């Protein structure tokens, strides 16, 4: 258990805390970042524990019932990090696993101080003396919210205290999520590994998918590969959608048999060291695309490649969307799924019955990672270190009466993860095949070996 906390691995977490501590010191603000609370699944069974992303990024500590307190420089007292965590408890550890414990926390995690979590609310008022702001995210955990309010109320009731106390509660998200947009070397290394594992999962899924196999078998094979290769879990509920199921954007039932002549859309990514990968591929259940499937596939792929080609420093998130959107609408007009001109369709929004989502989101610890998409009222320009998805799609609902029946029930999305670099961009998930001819070749091999 303790091998998880090698002192040699604390440097990135320490550097991230240092960056936040500097901002906090400039504002005379403290930040309280609680660990996620375990969540009941049903009766006395819990969901598998997953740390809070902000807490994890600043500690690398995966136990529940903990909180990180970042304290600014106040007078002669240096800025510091205080971790509250569960003490060792032999009896409890027999039931629920080893704990790091208070004594070992400073060395293992590189925090300045460690204290028992039971002391948090009792000691917080003293620790916050001299701070004028408390950065804390309300609305996540009602019990913590109540304790924070009670703490500040208690401090307010001591008007003769010589030191200021926090008179404002400020959301931590702008501070922490802005930092999360820019991935450091350790984060990129985790994201590259998540991408490798995801590639292996998609390859395994492609090998076993065939007519008669159930979507859930494909899901299980994919996620088997994720776990076998060291992923924490899928980064989100895997979507394994055969045929018209792909027209349901967040289809997660994954329980229908695959049929020859249909496409299979798989949107699934591994989470490695709590960093997400997010990939979608669409390929024929049988050996070949039909003419209509191939026509729309080529439209989506063209749109995705066009959008990927403009990902670089200075491009805005909206420009990427507009680039993909125009290519999709051109294809829809070319194949007469939209009767009007490209510009008319873009102006009227008639394309929305085939493409109803945006093209990109931030990616990192959360699959839809934190961070502002808009700055000063305008779509934000990309900068080196940011990671986004590029994921155009086309979805022709099975009951879409405006198009010929041969187009109906086709759902296609192609999604990759892209890092913005100083010189341009790098597709982290480039190893996962997506050219239609390559996919048909792989399908032939897979079905031949059946
Ligand atoms: Ca996705």
């Amino acid at each position: 258990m303790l091998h998880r906390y090698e002192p040699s691995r604390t440097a990135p977490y320490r550097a991230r805390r240092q960056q936040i501590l500097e901002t906090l010191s400039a504002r005379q603000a403290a930040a309280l970042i609680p660990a996620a609370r375990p969540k009941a699944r049903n009766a006395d069974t819990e969901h598998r524990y997953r740390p809070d992303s902000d807490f994890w990024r600043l500690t690398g500590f995966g136990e529940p019932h903990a909180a990180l307190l970042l304290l600014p420089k106040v007078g002669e007292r240096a800025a510091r990090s205080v971790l509250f965590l569960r003490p060792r408890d032999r009896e409890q550890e027999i039931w629920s696993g080893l704990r790091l414990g208070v004594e070992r926390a400073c060395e293992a995690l590189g925090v300045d101080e460690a204290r028992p979590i039971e002391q948090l609310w009792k000691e917080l008022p003293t620790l916050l003396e001299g701070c004028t702001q408390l950065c804390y995210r309300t609305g996540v955990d009602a019990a913590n919210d109540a304790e924070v309010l009670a703490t500040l109320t208690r401090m307010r009731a001591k008007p003769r205290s010589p030191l200021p106390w926090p008179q404002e509660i400020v959301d931590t998200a702008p501070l922490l999520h802005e930092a999360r947009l820019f991935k450091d070397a350790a984060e990129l290394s985790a994201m590259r590994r998540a991408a490798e594992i995801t590639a292996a999962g998609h390859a395994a899924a492609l090998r076993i998918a065939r007519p008669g196999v159930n979507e859930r078998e494909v899901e299980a094979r994919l996620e088997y590969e994720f776990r076998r290769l060291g992923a924490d879990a899928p980064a989100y509920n895997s979507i394994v959608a055969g045929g018209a199921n792909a027209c349901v954007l967040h289809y997660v039932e994954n329980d229908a048999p695959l049929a020859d002549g249909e496409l299979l859309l798989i949107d699934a990514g591994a989470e490695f060291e709590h960093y997400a990968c997010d990939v979608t591929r669409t390929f024929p259940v049988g050996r070949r695309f039909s003419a209509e499937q191939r026509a729309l596939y080529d439209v989506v792929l063209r749109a995705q490649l066009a959008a990927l080609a403009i990902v670089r420093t200075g491009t805005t998130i909206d420009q990427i969307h507009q680039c993909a959107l125009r290519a999709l609408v051109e294809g829809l007009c070319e194949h007469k799924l939209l009767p009007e001109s490209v510009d008319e369709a873009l102006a009227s929004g008639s394309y929305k019955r085939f493409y109803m989502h945006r093209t990109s989101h931030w990616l990192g610890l959360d699959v839809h990672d934190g961070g502002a998409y808009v700055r000063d009222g305008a779509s934000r320009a990309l900068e080196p270190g940011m990671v986004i998805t590029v994921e155009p799609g086309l979805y022709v609902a099975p009951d879409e009466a405006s198009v010929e029946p041969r187009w109906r029930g086709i759902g296609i999305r192609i999604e990759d993860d892209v890092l913005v670099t100083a010189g341009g961009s790098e597709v982290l998930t480039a190893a996962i095949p997506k050219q239609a001819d390559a996919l048909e070749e792989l399908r032939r091999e897979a079905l031949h070996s059946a």
Side-chain angles (χ1 to χ4, degrees), residues 236 239 267-269 277-280 361 367-368 389 391 413 415 417:
Y236 51 94
I239 298 170
D267 184 344
C277 185
D278 184 2
V279 169
T280 310
H361 56 77
V367 66
H368 296 156
T389 64
E391 49 176 311
R413 178 165 61 256
E415 173 178 28
D417 304 342

Side-chain angles (χ1 to χ4, degrees), residues 10-11 60 77 79 96 158 165 181 221 254 272 323 338 340 421:
T10 62
R77 200 185 66 195
S96 56
K158 293 199 287 182
W165 69 92
L181 281 177
R221 186 65 185 79
N254 301 350
F272 182 76
C323 173
L338 289 174
E340 62 265 62
T421 61

Side-chain angles (χ1 to χ4, degrees), residues 133-313:
Q133 259 187 4
L134 176 62
C135 294
Y136 169 79
R137 174 145 252 206
T138 57
V140 174
D141 186 294
N144 286 339
D145 290 356
E147 293 284 5
V148 164
L149 288 180
T151 300
L152 298 189
T153 306
R154 278 213 302 285
M155 296 185 78
R156 193 173 60 198
K158 293 199 287 182
R160 275 183 288 277
S161 167
L163 290 167
W165 69 92
Q167 301 196 11
E168 285 179 289
I169 299 175
V170 178
D171 190 1
T172 44
L175 178 65
L176 302 184
H177 294 181
E178 179 66 19
R180 275 169 54 180
L181 281 177
F182 300 90
K183 273 67 180 176
D184 61 33
E187 293 182 296
L188 286 176
S189 145
M191 292 188 80
R192 286 181 207 285
R193 183 65 188 141
E196 285 171 6
I197 296 172
T198 300
H202 277 262
L206 189 137
R207 278 194 301 274
I208 73 146
R210 64 201 59 209
V213 163
N214 196 287
E215 291 164 348
R216 74 170 81 85
E217 294 179 64
V218 178
E219 176 190 16
R221 186 65 185 79
L222 181 92
E223 296 184 0
Y224 165 77
E225 207 65 19
F226 287 178
R227 286 290 285 158
R228 188 179 75 81
L229 294 172
D232 311 311
Y236 51 94
N237 289 332
S238 302
I239 298 170
V240 180
N245 292 337
C247 298
V248 178
L249 297 180
H250 291 159
Y251 175 79
V252 290
E253 284 82 1
N254 301 350
D255 60 0
L258 301 176
D260 200 6
E262 292 183 341
L263 296 178
L264 175 59
L265 181 153
I266 299 179
D267 184 344
E271 179 176 307
F272 182 76
E273 291 179 354
H274 304 306
Y275 285 83
C277 185
D278 184 2
V279 169
T280 310
R281 289 293 183 265
T282 311
F283 56 82
V285 170
R287 284 166 195 250
R288 298 184 59 91
F289 289 94
S290 72
E292 290 77 17
Q293 290 165 350
R294 177 65 186 254
L296 294 189
Y297 190 88
D298 286 345
V299 169
V300 176
L301 184 58
R302 214 158 45 229
Q304 204 232 10
L305 294 175
L308 284 173
I310 64 166
V311 176
R312 67 176 77 92
T313 302

Side-chain angles (χ1 to χ4, degrees), residues 32-40 46-57 59 61-68 83-86 117 120 136-137 140-144 180 271 274 366:
L32 177 65
I33 303 139
R37 204 178 287 278
K39 300 277 191 306
E46 288 176 352
H47 285 283
R48 177 181 290 184
Y49 187 71
R50 200 276 188 187
D52 174 80
S53 294
D54 289 328
F55 179 83
W56 174 262
R57 184 173 177 277
T59 61
F61 183 53
E63 289 184 25
H65 306 294
L68 177 68
L83 182 71
F84 289 84
L85 72 166
R86 296 177 302 187
I117 185 68
L120 170 63
Y136 169 79
R137 174 145 252 206
V140 174
D141 186 294
N144 286 339
R180 275 169 54 180
E271 179 176 307
H274 304 306
D366 292 316

